[in-house]
Amino acid sequence: MSEMDNAKKLVGEEAVKYIEDGMKVGLGSGSTVYWMIKKLGEYVEQGLDVAGVPTSETTAQWAKEFGVPLTDFSETKQLDVTIDGADEVDENLHLIKGGGGALLREKIVASAAKSFIIIVDSSKRVAQLGAFPLPVEVIPFGWEVTANNISTLGCVPKLRQKDGEVFVSDNGNYILDCPFDKISDPVKLHKELKSLVGVVESGLFIGMADKIVVGKDDKVEVISKG
């Protein structure tokens, strides 16, 4: 296992400590969350009573594989905690998410939780957001028009593809990857993107994270809001 994979496993397993008996848990997406769900499955097998709301179809498959019970928002309207990964985390705990294409469901699940915890390896911490191309979920109809409008904000959006085909999110939408290079004002950019017709959601998660759990060199650092 590489040093980075080891850090992901470390923080993923550490995050399970924030889950208590009887909790409703938002289950994020991505390779770091995989380790959290796997460890959570071990606790469930030992008797921990939890129910998870997955942020993607892939996450739902992992939960079923590791024996983590699932629920949905028809059964519960509020979650105790959501644990998810991120593509970038800045010094103000603002995030870029959506590298896996699940940003809309991730934001819905995060907003429904009393506590939102991000788990990352140290490579995801940045002084300023933007080196990672910002994912923006858009309606398929007229995506070309939406992309052109986004380009006026300072980037050249690229329609995400996978295996030679247009990538379609679990919600049936497209993803535009937007290389802004440096995002000096993420709050302003998020508002501008959300004001554009055709934009469903941006991958900027502003002021949502309560804790960042960071793994590096076999150690875990916890950074809290405020």
Side-chain angles (χ1 to χ4, degrees):
M1 186 180 292
S2 71
E3 186 175 323
M4 183 177 295
D5 287 336
N6 186 63
K8 290 179 178 182
K9 182 174 185 290
L10 182 68
V11 293
E13 294 181 346
E14 177 73 17
V16 179
K17 295 178 181 178
Y18 293 97
I19 301 174
E20 299 175 4
D21 198 59
M23 278 189 168
K24 301 292 190 296
V25 183
L27 304 174
S29 302
S31 54
T32 307
V33 171
Y34 169 87
W35 294 107
M36 184 272 288
I37 296 174
K38 185 175 182 181
K39 176 59 71 171
L40 182 58
E42 295 176 14
Y43 281 75
V44 169
E45 190 175 355
Q46 295 166 15
L48 184 70
D49 177 26
V50 296
V53 174
T55 55
S56 67
E57 298 301 325
T58 299
T59 297
Q61 291 172 7
W62 289 342
K64 291 171 185 175
E65 179 183 349
F66 297 124
V68 177
L70 295 178
T71 185
D72 58 40
F73 288 122
S74 70
E75 299 292 334
T76 180
K77 299 299 184 290
Q78 187 173 59
L79 306 174
D80 295 288
V81 63
T82 289
I83 300 174
D84 205 346
D87 299 299
E88 286 187 343
V89 180
D90 74 7
E91 295 172 345
N92 297 309
L93 308 195
H94 299 325
L95 318 170
I96 284 182
K97 291 177 51 54
L103 63 102
L104 176 57
R105 293 193 187 187
E106 288 171 345
K107 192 168 282 190
I108 291 171
V109 172
S111 67
K114 297 175 186 176
S115 178
F116 184 33
I117 299 173
I118 292 295
I119 53 176
V120 292
D121 65 83
S122 60
S123 70
K124 304 299 174 62
R125 293 185 66 185
V126 297
Q128 188 175 50
L129 299 178
F132 189 93
L134 176 66
V136 179
E137 186 158 347
V138 300
I139 296 294
F141 179 80
W143 71 266
E144 301 92 340
V145 176
T146 308
N148 186 61
N149 289 333
I150 292 174
S151 72
T152 65
L153 301 178
C155 72
V156 180
K158 182 178 181 182
L159 182 64
R160 186 178 297 185
Q161 299 198 348
K162 185 177 181 181
D163 301 326
E165 302 286 340
V166 175
F167 175 86
V168 179
S169 75
D170 288 342
N171 315 297
N173 296 319
Y174 291 171
I175 302 286
L176 296 174
D177 291 305
C178 303
F180 284 98
D181 188 29
K182 291 184 179 180
I183 300 175
S184 58
D185 191 341
V187 176
K188 179 172 179 282
L189 178 59
H190 175 66
K191 288 180 179 178
E192 289 174 335
L193 288 167
K194 289 283 284 184
S195 73
L196 297 176
V197 175
V199 170
V200 179
E201 191 54 78
S202 95
L204 287 167
F205 284 53
I206 306 298
M208 296 182 70
D210 295 297
K211 282 187 175 66
I212 312 292
V213 184
V214 185
K216 183 180 181 182
D217 300 331
D218 295 322
K219 294 181 180 178
V220 172
E221 178 185 4
V222 178
I223 306 161
S224 297
K225 181 186 285 186

mmCIF file of all heavy atoms in Angstrom, residues 40-91:
data_model
loop_
_atom_site.group_PDB
_atom_site.id
_atom_site.type_symbol
_atom_site.label_atom_id
_atom_site.label_comp_id
_atom_site.label_asym_id
_atom_site.label_seq_id
_atom_site.Cartn_x
_atom_site.Cartn_y
_atom_site.Cartn_z
ATOM 1 N N LEU A 40 -16.622 0.696 9.478
ATOM 2 C CA LEU A 40 -17.946 0.815 10.081
ATOM 3 C C LEU A 40 -18.690 -0.511 10.023
ATOM 4 O O LEU A 40 -19.389 -0.888 10.970
ATOM 5 C CB LEU A 40 -18.757 1.913 9.371
ATOM 6 C CG LEU A 40 -20.165 2.192 9.908
ATOM 7 C CD1 LEU A 40 -20.131 2.585 11.381
ATOM 8 C CD2 LEU A 40 -20.835 3.282 9.067
ATOM 9 N N GLY A 41 -18.508 -1.230 8.932
ATOM 10 C CA GLY A 41 -19.123 -2.539 8.806
ATOM 11 C C GLY A 41 -18.667 -3.502 9.891
ATOM 12 O O GLY A 41 -19.470 -4.321 10.387
ATOM 13 N N GLU A 42 -17.401 -3.388 10.291
ATOM 14 C CA GLU A 42 -16.884 -4.240 11.363
ATOM 15 C C GLU A 42 -17.579 -3.909 12.687
ATOM 16 O O GLU A 42 -17.926 -4.811 13.455
ATOM 17 C CB GLU A 42 -15.369 -4.050 11.502
ATOM 18 C CG GLU A 42 -14.570 -4.515 10.288
ATOM 19 C CD GLU A 42 -13.087 -4.227 10.432
ATOM 20 O OE1 GLU A 42 -12.646 -3.906 11.567
ATOM 21 O OE2 GLU A 42 -12.363 -4.301 9.413
ATOM 22 N N TYR A 43 -17.793 -2.617 12.937
ATOM 23 C CA TYR A 43 -18.487 -2.196 14.164
ATOM 24 C C TYR A 43 -19.943 -2.652 14.153
ATOM 25 O O TYR A 43 -20.486 -3.040 15.187
ATOM 26 C CB TYR A 43 -18.406 -0.679 14.326
ATOM 27 C CG TYR A 43 -17.087 -0.182 14.876
ATOM 28 C CD1 TYR A 43 -15.934 -0.146 14.093
ATOM 29 C CD2 TYR A 43 -16.985 0.272 16.184
ATOM 30 C CE1 TYR A 43 -14.722 0.311 14.593
ATOM 31 C CE2 TYR A 43 -15.777 0.742 16.704
ATOM 32 C CZ TYR A 43 -14.648 0.753 15.901
ATOM 33 O OH TYR A 43 -13.448 1.202 16.401
ATOM 34 N N VAL A 44 -20.579 -2.582 12.998
ATOM 35 C CA VAL A 44 -21.965 -3.035 12.879
ATOM 36 C C VAL A 44 -22.056 -4.530 13.176
ATOM 37 O O VAL A 44 -22.964 -4.992 13.875
ATOM 38 C CB VAL A 44 -22.520 -2.725 11.466
ATOM 39 C CG1 VAL A 44 -23.862 -3.431 11.244
ATOM 40 C CG2 VAL A 44 -22.674 -1.219 11.280
ATOM 41 N N GLU A 45 -21.086 -5.262 12.682
ATOM 42 C CA GLU A 45 -21.057 -6.709 12.924
ATOM 43 C C GLU A 45 -20.920 -7.008 14.420
ATOM 44 O O GLU A 45 -21.430 -8.022 14.923
ATOM 45 C CB GLU A 45 -19.895 -7.345 12.150
ATOM 46 C CG GLU A 45 -19.922 -8.861 12.148
ATOM 47 C CD GLU A 45 -18.842 -9.459 11.269
ATOM 48 O OE1 GLU A 45 -18.119 -8.703 10.589
ATOM 49 O OE2 GLU A 45 -18.722 -10.697 11.245
ATOM 50 N N GLN A 46 -20.258 -6.079 15.136
ATOM 51 C CA GLN A 46 -20.073 -6.250 16.585
ATOM 52 C C GLN A 46 -21.265 -5.719 17.390
ATOM 53 O O GLN A 46 -21.263 -5.784 18.614
ATOM 54 C CB GLN A 46 -18.789 -5.529 17.017
ATOM 55 C CG GLN A 46 -17.519 -6.140 16.425
ATOM 56 C CD GLN A 46 -16.297 -5.236 16.585
ATOM 57 O OE1 GLN A 46 -16.312 -4.284 17.358
ATOM 58 N NE2 GLN A 46 -15.234 -5.530 15.836
ATOM 59 N N GLY A 47 -22.262 -5.146 16.697
ATOM 60 C CA GLY A 47 -23.478 -4.736 17.386
ATOM 61 C C GLY A 47 -23.831 -3.265 17.323
ATOM 62 O O GLY A 47 -24.852 -2.848 17.888
ATOM 63 N N LEU A 48 -22.999 -2.441 16.663
ATOM 64 C CA LEU A 48 -23.302 -1.017 16.556
ATOM 65 C C LEU A 48 -24.567 -0.824 15.723
ATOM 66 O O LEU A 48 -24.694 -1.365 14.620
ATOM 67 C CB LEU A 48 -22.132 -0.265 15.907
ATOM 68 C CG LEU A 48 -22.276 1.262 15.814
ATOM 69 C CD1 LEU A 48 -22.179 1.902 17.194
ATOM 70 C CD2 LEU A 48 -21.208 1.840 14.887
ATOM 71 N N ASP A 49 -25.495 -0.035 16.255
ATOM 72 C CA ASP A 49 -26.769 0.223 15.577
ATOM 73 C C ASP A 49 -26.708 1.569 14.868
ATOM 74 O O ASP A 49 -26.744 2.625 15.505
ATOM 75 C CB ASP A 49 -27.914 0.203 16.605
ATOM 76 C CG ASP A 49 -29.256 0.547 15.981
ATOM 77 O OD1 ASP A 49 -29.419 0.315 14.769
ATOM 78 O OD2 ASP A 49 -30.134 1.065 16.709
ATOM 79 N N VAL A 50 -26.595 1.546 13.542
ATOM 80 C CA VAL A 50 -26.569 2.775 12.746
ATOM 81 C C VAL A 50 -27.380 2.557 11.467
ATOM 82 O O VAL A 50 -27.688 1.427 11.099
ATOM 83 C CB VAL A 50 -25.126 3.194 12.353
ATOM 84 C CG1 VAL A 50 -24.297 3.532 13.574
ATOM 85 C CG2 VAL A 50 -24.453 2.118 11.511
ATOM 86 N N ALA A 51 -27.683 3.663 10.811
ATOM 87 C CA ALA A 51 -28.300 3.612 9.486
ATOM 88 C C ALA A 51 -27.672 4.707 8.649
ATOM 89 O O ALA A 51 -27.514 5.841 9.114
ATOM 90 C CB ALA A 51 -29.810 3.790 9.583
ATOM 91 N N GLY A 52 -27.283 4.380 7.431
ATOM 92 C CA GLY A 52 -26.569 5.329 6.586
ATOM 93 C C GLY A 52 -27.380 5.788 5.390
ATOM 94 O O GLY A 52 -28.179 5.029 4.835
ATOM 95 N N VAL A 53 -27.161 7.043 4.997
ATOM 96 C CA VAL A 53 -27.710 7.578 3.748
ATOM 97 C C VAL A 53 -26.538 7.759 2.789
ATOM 98 O O VAL A 53 -25.658 8.587 3.042
ATOM 99 C CB VAL A 53 -28.434 8.908 3.971
ATOM 100 C CG1 VAL A 53 -28.863 9.507 2.624
ATOM 101 C CG2 VAL A 53 -29.658 8.722 4.864
ATOM 102 N N PRO A 54 -26.468 6.991 1.703
ATOM 103 C CA PRO A 54 -25.335 7.066 0.786
ATOM 104 C C PRO A 54 -25.432 8.248 -0.166
ATOM 105 O O PRO A 54 -26.530 8.668 -0.543
ATOM 106 C CB PRO A 54 -25.428 5.740 0.017
ATOM 107 C CG PRO A 54 -26.893 5.425 0.000
ATOM 108 C CD PRO A 54 -27.438 5.946 1.306
ATOM 109 N N THR A 55 -24.276 8.781 -0.553
ATOM 110 C CA THR A 55 -24.234 9.927 -1.463
ATOM 111 C C THR A 55 -24.077 9.515 -2.923
ATOM 112 O O THR A 55 -24.067 10.373 -3.803
ATOM 113 C CB THR A 55 -23.073 10.865 -1.089
ATOM 114 O OG1 THR A 55 -21.863 10.096 -1.063
ATOM 115 C CG2 THR A 55 -23.300 11.508 0.269
ATOM 116 N N SER A 56 -23.922 8.227 -3.172
ATOM 117 C CA SER A 56 -23.784 7.753 -4.550
ATOM 118 C C SER A 56 -24.172 6.289 -4.625
ATOM 119 O O SER A 56 -24.247 5.597 -3.602
ATOM 120 C CB SER A 56 -22.337 7.936 -5.041
ATOM 121 O OG SER A 56 -21.460 7.076 -4.328
ATOM 122 N N GLU A 57 -24.404 5.833 -5.832
ATOM 123 C CA GLU A 57 -24.733 4.418 -6.025
ATOM 124 C C GLU A 57 -23.540 3.539 -5.644
ATOM 125 O O GLU A 57 -23.705 2.454 -5.101
ATOM 126 C CB GLU A 57 -25.140 4.166 -7.479
ATOM 127 C CG GLU A 57 -26.389 4.928 -7.926
ATOM 128 C CD GLU A 57 -27.613 4.604 -7.091
ATOM 129 O OE1 GLU A 57 -27.744 3.437 -6.659
ATOM 130 O OE2 GLU A 57 -28.436 5.507 -6.854
ATOM 131 N N THR A 58 -22.336 4.019 -5.913
ATOM 132 C CA THR A 58 -21.132 3.271 -5.543
ATOM 133 C C THR A 58 -21.035 3.120 -4.030
ATOM 134 O O THR A 58 -20.738 2.043 -3.512
ATOM 135 C CB THR A 58 -19.871 3.972 -6.076
ATOM 136 O OG1 THR A 58 -19.941 4.027 -7.504
ATOM 137 C CG2 THR A 58 -18.615 3.229 -5.661
ATOM 138 N N THR A 59 -21.302 4.214 -3.308
ATOM 139 C CA THR A 59 -21.282 4.165 -1.846
ATOM 140 C C THR A 59 -22.320 3.182 -1.322
ATOM 141 O O THR A 59 -22.059 2.424 -0.375
ATOM 142 C CB THR A 59 -21.538 5.566 -1.262
ATOM 143 O OG1 THR A 59 -20.473 6.437 -1.672
ATOM 144 C CG2 THR A 59 -21.593 5.540 0.260
ATOM 145 N N ALA A 60 -23.494 3.186 -1.918
ATOM 146 C CA ALA A 60 -24.546 2.251 -1.510
ATOM 147 C C ALA A 60 -24.090 0.808 -1.685
ATOM 148 O O ALA A 60 -24.350 -0.060 -0.840
ATOM 149 C CB ALA A 60 -25.820 2.512 -2.308
ATOM 150 N N GLN A 61 -23.363 0.546 -2.765
ATOM 151 C CA GLN A 61 -22.843 -0.804 -3.015
ATOM 152 C C GLN A 61 -21.816 -1.192 -1.954
ATOM 153 O O GLN A 61 -21.815 -2.327 -1.466
ATOM 154 C CB GLN A 61 -22.221 -0.875 -4.412
ATOM 155 C CG GLN A 61 -23.243 -0.774 -5.540
ATOM 156 C CD GLN A 61 -22.586 -0.640 -6.911
ATOM 157 O OE1 GLN A 61 -21.369 -0.743 -7.053
ATOM 158 N NE2 GLN A 61 -23.391 -0.375 -7.921
ATOM 159 N N TRP A 62 -20.946 -0.242 -1.584
ATOM 160 C CA TRP A 62 -19.958 -0.527 -0.529
ATOM 161 C C TRP A 62 -20.654 -0.840 0.784
ATOM 162 O O TRP A 62 -20.274 -1.771 1.499
ATOM 163 C CB TRP A 62 -19.029 0.672 -0.338
ATOM 164 C CG TRP A 62 -18.067 0.911 -1.455
ATOM 165 C CD1 TRP A 62 -17.692 0.020 -2.417
ATOM 166 C CD2 TRP A 62 -17.363 2.124 -1.729
ATOM 167 N NE1 TRP A 62 -16.796 0.607 -3.276
ATOM 168 C CE2 TRP A 62 -16.569 1.893 -2.881
ATOM 169 C CE3 TRP A 62 -17.329 3.378 -1.124
ATOM 170 C CZ2 TRP A 62 -15.754 2.876 -3.429
ATOM 171 C CZ3 TRP A 62 -16.513 4.361 -1.666
ATOM 172 C CH2 TRP A 62 -15.735 4.109 -2.803
ATOM 173 N N ALA A 63 -21.674 -0.048 1.123
ATOM 174 C CA ALA A 63 -22.399 -0.260 2.379
ATOM 175 C C ALA A 63 -23.021 -1.660 2.409
ATOM 176 O O ALA A 63 -22.952 -2.359 3.438
ATOM 177 C CB ALA A 63 -23.469 0.811 2.551
ATOM 178 N N LYS A 64 -23.607 -2.054 1.320
ATOM 179 C CA LYS A 64 -24.217 -3.391 1.253
ATOM 180 C C LYS A 64 -23.150 -4.473 1.353
ATOM 181 O O LYS A 64 -23.334 -5.493 2.016
ATOM 182 C CB LYS A 64 -25.015 -3.530 -0.042
ATOM 183 C CG LYS A 64 -26.272 -2.669 -0.064
ATOM 184 C CD LYS A 64 -26.929 -2.643 -1.433
ATOM 185 C CE LYS A 64 -28.120 -1.687 -1.455
ATOM 186 N NZ LYS A 64 -28.705 -1.542 -2.809
ATOM 187 N N GLU A 65 -22.018 -4.228 0.704
ATOM 188 C CA GLU A 65 -20.914 -5.194 0.731
ATOM 189 C C GLU A 65 -20.390 -5.414 2.146
ATOM 190 O O GLU A 65 -20.082 -6.545 2.548
ATOM 191 C CB GLU A 65 -19.774 -4.702 -0.177
ATOM 192 C CG GLU A 65 -18.559 -5.615 -0.202
ATOM 193 C CD GLU A 65 -17.432 -5.058 -1.053
ATOM 194 O OE1 GLU A 65 -17.663 -4.063 -1.796
ATOM 195 O OE2 GLU A 65 -16.310 -5.601 -0.971
ATOM 196 N N PHE A 66 -20.313 -4.328 2.933
ATOM 197 C CA PHE A 66 -19.730 -4.417 4.274
ATOM 198 C C PHE A 66 -20.782 -4.501 5.385
ATOM 199 O O PHE A 66 -20.443 -4.453 6.571
ATOM 200 C CB PHE A 66 -18.802 -3.226 4.514
ATOM 201 C CG PHE A 66 -17.619 -3.200 3.569
ATOM 202 C CD1 PHE A 66 -17.370 -2.098 2.764
ATOM 203 C CD2 PHE A 66 -16.772 -4.302 3.467
ATOM 204 C CE1 PHE A 66 -16.291 -2.081 1.887
ATOM 205 C CE2 PHE A 66 -15.692 -4.290 2.582
ATOM 206 C CZ PHE A 66 -15.452 -3.181 1.788
ATOM 207 N N GLY A 67 -22.054 -4.625 4.998
ATOM 208 C CA GLY A 67 -23.091 -4.877 5.988
ATOM 209 C C GLY A 67 -23.548 -3.660 6.771
ATOM 210 O O GLY A 67 -24.043 -3.792 7.898
ATOM 211 N N VAL A 68 -23.409 -2.463 6.183
ATOM 212 C CA VAL A 68 -23.877 -1.246 6.848
ATOM 213 C C VAL A 68 -25.329 -0.979 6.420
ATOM 214 O O VAL A 68 -25.588 -0.775 5.233
ATOM 215 C CB VAL A 68 -23.000 -0.038 6.486
ATOM 216 C CG1 VAL A 68 -23.546 1.238 7.124
ATOM 217 C CG2 VAL A 68 -21.553 -0.282 6.922
ATOM 218 N N PRO A 69 -26.283 -0.969 7.364
ATOM 219 C CA PRO A 69 -27.691 -0.753 7.009
ATOM 220 C C PRO A 69 -27.902 0.631 6.393
ATOM 221 O O PRO A 69 -27.270 1.608 6.805
ATOM 222 C CB PRO A 69 -28.430 -0.867 8.352
ATOM 223 C CG PRO A 69 -27.488 -1.587 9.255
ATOM 224 C CD PRO A 69 -26.120 -1.207 8.816
ATOM 225 N N LEU A 70 -28.806 0.709 5.420
ATOM 226 C CA LEU A 70 -29.085 1.968 4.743
ATOM 227 C C LEU A 70 -30.500 2.456 5.026
ATOM 228 O O LEU A 70 -31.391 1.668 5.311
ATOM 229 C CB LEU A 70 -28.890 1.806 3.229
ATOM 230 C CG LEU A 70 -27.464 1.509 2.755
ATOM 231 C CD1 LEU A 70 -27.445 1.318 1.252
ATOM 232 C CD2 LEU A 70 -26.497 2.604 3.180
ATOM 233 N N THR A 71 -30.671 3.763 4.926
ATOM 234 C CA THR A 71 -31.989 4.373 5.008
ATOM 235 C C THR A 71 -32.026 5.476 3.953
ATOM 236 O O THR A 71 -31.103 5.621 3.150
ATOM 237 C CB THR A 71 -32.262 4.920 6.425
ATOM 238 O OG1 THR A 71 -33.604 5.397 6.488
ATOM 239 C CG2 THR A 71 -31.310 6.049 6.797
ATOM 240 N N ASP A 72 -33.099 6.266 3.925
ATOM 241 C CA ASP A 72 -33.170 7.389 2.987
ATOM 242 C C ASP A 72 -33.989 8.516 3.610
ATOM 243 O O ASP A 72 -34.478 8.403 4.730
ATOM 244 C CB ASP A 72 -33.741 6.959 1.626
ATOM 245 C CG ASP A 72 -35.131 6.349 1.745
ATOM 246 O OD1 ASP A 72 -35.953 6.851 2.539
ATOM 247 O OD2 ASP A 72 -35.412 5.368 1.024
ATOM 248 N N PHE A 73 -34.149 9.595 2.854
ATOM 249 C CA PHE A 73 -34.799 10.774 3.423
ATOM 250 C C PHE A 73 -36.314 10.649 3.519
ATOM 251 O O PHE A 73 -36.974 11.550 4.049
ATOM 252 C CB PHE A 73 -34.393 12.030 2.650
ATOM 253 C CG PHE A 73 -32.959 12.449 2.900
ATOM 254 C CD1 PHE A 73 -32.052 12.572 1.859
ATOM 255 C CD2 PHE A 73 -32.531 12.721 4.193
ATOM 256 C CE1 PHE A 73 -30.737 12.956 2.099
ATOM 257 C CE2 PHE A 73 -31.219 13.109 4.445
ATOM 258 C CZ PHE A 73 -30.318 13.221 3.399
ATOM 259 N N SER A 74 -36.869 9.559 3.035
ATOM 260 C CA SER A 74 -38.288 9.312 3.296
ATOM 261 C C SER A 74 -38.481 8.781 4.714
ATOM 262 O O SER A 74 -39.576 8.854 5.273
ATOM 263 C CB SER A 74 -38.854 8.293 2.289
ATOM 264 O OG SER A 74 -38.318 6.994 2.527
ATOM 265 N N GLU A 75 -37.388 8.291 5.299
ATOM 266 C CA GLU A 75 -37.432 7.714 6.651
ATOM 267 C C GLU A 75 -36.863 8.652 7.700
ATOM 268 O O GLU A 75 -37.254 8.622 8.863
ATOM 269 C CB GLU A 75 -36.643 6.396 6.671
ATOM 270 C CG GLU A 75 -37.178 5.311 5.742
ATOM 271 C CD GLU A 75 -38.525 4.774 6.167
ATOM 272 O OE1 GLU A 75 -38.837 4.832 7.376
ATOM 273 O OE2 GLU A 75 -39.287 4.321 5.288
ATOM 274 N N THR A 76 -35.911 9.474 7.320
ATOM 275 C CA THR A 76 -35.290 10.388 8.284
ATOM 276 C C THR A 76 -34.970 11.707 7.591
ATOM 277 O O THR A 76 -34.481 11.718 6.458
ATOM 278 C CB THR A 76 -34.004 9.787 8.878
ATOM 279 O OG1 THR A 76 -33.445 10.712 9.819
ATOM 280 C CG2 THR A 76 -32.959 9.488 7.804
ATOM 281 N N LYS A 77 -35.268 12.811 8.262
ATOM 282 C CA LYS A 77 -35.050 14.130 7.649
ATOM 283 C C LYS A 77 -33.756 14.782 8.112
ATOM 284 O O LYS A 77 -33.288 15.732 7.500
ATOM 285 C CB LYS A 77 -36.233 15.055 7.982
ATOM 286 C CG LYS A 77 -37.579 14.545 7.451
ATOM 287 C CD LYS A 77 -37.581 14.431 5.942
ATOM 288 C CE LYS A 77 -38.944 14.024 5.397
ATOM 289 N NZ LYS A 77 -39.300 12.627 5.715
ATOM 290 N N GLN A 78 -33.181 14.289 9.209
ATOM 291 C CA GLN A 78 -31.934 14.861 9.710
ATOM 292 C C GLN A 78 -30.960 13.760 10.074
ATOM 293 O O GLN A 78 -31.343 12.721 10.602
ATOM 294 C CB GLN A 78 -32.181 15.758 10.929
ATOM 295 C CG GLN A 78 -30.918 16.511 11.362
ATOM 296 C CD GLN A 78 -31.203 17.518 12.460
ATOM 297 O OE1 GLN A 78 -31.679 17.166 13.522
ATOM 298 N NE2 GLN A 78 -30.879 18.797 12.204
ATOM 299 N N LEU A 79 -29.694 14.020 9.761
ATOM 300 C CA LEU A 79 -28.626 13.072 10.063
ATOM 301 C C LEU A 79 -27.810 13.600 11.237
ATOM 302 O O LEU A 79 -27.681 14.811 11.432
ATOM 303 C CB LEU A 79 -27.726 12.877 8.842
ATOM 304 C CG LEU A 79 -28.438 12.479 7.549
ATOM 305 C CD1 LEU A 79 -27.451 12.464 6.386
ATOM 306 C CD2 LEU A 79 -29.103 11.113 7.701
ATOM 307 N N ASP A 80 -27.234 12.687 12.013
ATOM 308 C CA ASP A 80 -26.388 13.098 13.135
ATOM 309 C C ASP A 80 -25.032 13.570 12.644
ATOM 310 O O ASP A 80 -24.482 14.557 13.145
ATOM 311 C CB ASP A 80 -26.217 11.927 14.111
ATOM 312 C CG ASP A 80 -27.538 11.540 14.755
ATOM 313 O OD1 ASP A 80 -28.026 12.304 15.595
ATOM 314 O OD2 ASP A 80 -28.084 10.477 14.386
ATOM 315 N N VAL A 81 -24.487 12.876 11.678
ATOM 316 C CA VAL A 81 -23.173 13.234 11.147
ATOM 317 C C VAL A 81 -23.075 12.751 9.701
ATOM 318 O O VAL A 81 -23.652 11.719 9.343
ATOM 319 C CB VAL A 81 -22.038 12.614 12.003
ATOM 320 C CG1 VAL A 81 -22.077 11.098 11.979
ATOM 321 C CG2 VAL A 81 -20.663 13.124 11.564
ATOM 322 N N THR A 82 -22.382 13.532 8.888
ATOM 323 C CA THR A 82 -22.003 13.094 7.544
ATOM 324 C C THR A 82 -20.489 13.097 7.463
ATOM 325 O O THR A 82 -19.843 14.066 7.882
ATOM 326 C CB THR A 82 -22.597 14.009 6.460
ATOM 327 O OG1 THR A 82 -24.006 13.803 6.383
ATOM 328 C CG2 THR A 82 -21.990 13.711 5.094
ATOM 329 N N ILE A 83 -19.934 12.016 6.945
ATOM 330 C CA ILE A 83 -18.483 11.896 6.787
ATOM 331 C C ILE A 83 -18.173 11.706 5.306
ATOM 332 O O ILE A 83 -18.699 10.800 4.662
ATOM 333 C CB ILE A 83 -17.930 10.722 7.616
ATOM 334 C CG1 ILE A 83 -18.236 10.943 9.114
ATOM 335 C CG2 ILE A 83 -16.423 10.572 7.399
ATOM 336 C CD1 ILE A 83 -17.862 9.774 10.002
ATOM 337 N N ASP A 84 -17.324 12.574 4.774
ATOM 338 C CA ASP A 84 -17.067 12.568 3.335
ATOM 339 C C ASP A 84 -15.631 12.987 3.075
ATOM 340 O O ASP A 84 -14.940 13.495 3.968
ATOM 341 C CB ASP A 84 -18.040 13.537 2.648
ATOM 342 C CG ASP A 84 -18.296 13.196 1.186
ATOM 343 O OD1 ASP A 84 -17.542 12.383 0.615
ATOM 344 O OD2 ASP A 84 -19.263 13.743 0.621
ATOM 345 N N GLY A 85 -15.186 12.795 1.862
ATOM 346 C CA GLY A 85 -13.858 13.230 1.448
ATOM 347 C C GLY A 85 -13.924 14.576 0.747
ATOM 348 O O GLY A 85 -14.971 15.226 0.708
ATOM 349 N N ALA A 86 -12.798 15.014 0.186
ATOM 350 C CA ALA A 86 -12.750 16.269 -0.562
ATOM 351 C C ALA A 86 -11.574 16.224 -1.525
ATOM 352 O O ALA A 86 -10.611 15.480 -1.320
ATOM 353 C CB ALA A 86 -12.625 17.468 0.382
ATOM 354 N N ASP A 87 -11.672 17.019 -2.576
ATOM 355 C CA ASP A 87 -10.579 17.123 -3.544
ATOM 356 C C ASP A 87 -9.588 18.212 -3.155
ATOM 357 O O ASP A 87 -8.403 18.112 -3.442
ATOM 358 C CB ASP A 87 -11.157 17.385 -4.939
ATOM 359 C CG ASP A 87 -12.072 16.256 -5.390
ATOM 360 O OD1 ASP A 87 -11.584 15.118 -5.501
ATOM 361 O OD2 ASP A 87 -13.273 16.506 -5.594
ATOM 362 N N GLU A 88 -10.091 19.266 -2.505
ATOM 363 C CA GLU A 88 -9.233 20.312 -1.944
ATOM 364 C C GLU A 88 -9.890 20.878 -0.681
ATOM 365 O O GLU A 88 -11.112 20.977 -0.600
ATOM 366 C CB GLU A 88 -9.008 21.466 -2.940
ATOM 367 C CG GLU A 88 -8.065 21.143 -4.080
ATOM 368 C CD GLU A 88 -7.743 22.354 -4.948
ATOM 369 O OE1 GLU A 88 -8.473 23.376 -4.884
ATOM 370 O OE2 GLU A 88 -6.755 22.286 -5.693
ATOM 371 N N VAL A 89 -9.052 21.266 0.269
ATOM 372 C CA VAL A 89 -9.503 21.928 1.500
ATOM 373 C C VAL A 89 -8.599 23.134 1.730
ATOM 374 O O VAL A 89 -7.376 22.983 1.784
ATOM 375 C CB VAL A 89 -9.402 20.991 2.731
ATOM 376 C CG1 VAL A 89 -9.882 21.710 3.987
ATOM 377 C CG2 VAL A 89 -10.167 19.703 2.516
ATOM 378 N N ASP A 90 -9.198 24.332 1.864
ATOM 379 C CA ASP A 90 -8.348 25.504 2.096
ATOM 380 C C ASP A 90 -8.270 25.844 3.582
ATOM 381 O O ASP A 90 -8.832 25.135 4.423
ATOM 382 C CB ASP A 90 -8.796 26.704 1.244
ATOM 383 C CG ASP A 90 -10.070 27.376 1.746
ATOM 384 O OD1 ASP A 90 -10.570 27.020 2.835
ATOM 385 O OD2 ASP A 90 -10.575 28.283 1.033
ATOM 386 N N GLU A 91 -7.588 26.932 3.896
ATOM 387 C CA GLU A 91 -7.335 27.283 5.295
ATOM 388 C C GLU A 91 -8.599 27.723 6.033
ATOM 389 O O GLU A 91 -8.635 27.738 7.261
ATOM 390 C CB GLU A 91 -6.270 28.387 5.343
ATOM 391 C CG GLU A 91 -4.909 27.909 4.828
ATOM 392 C CD GLU A 91 -3.894 29.023 4.676
ATOM 393 O OE1 GLU A 91 -4.314 30.208 4.699
ATOM 394 O OE2 GLU A 91 -2.701 28.729 4.535
#
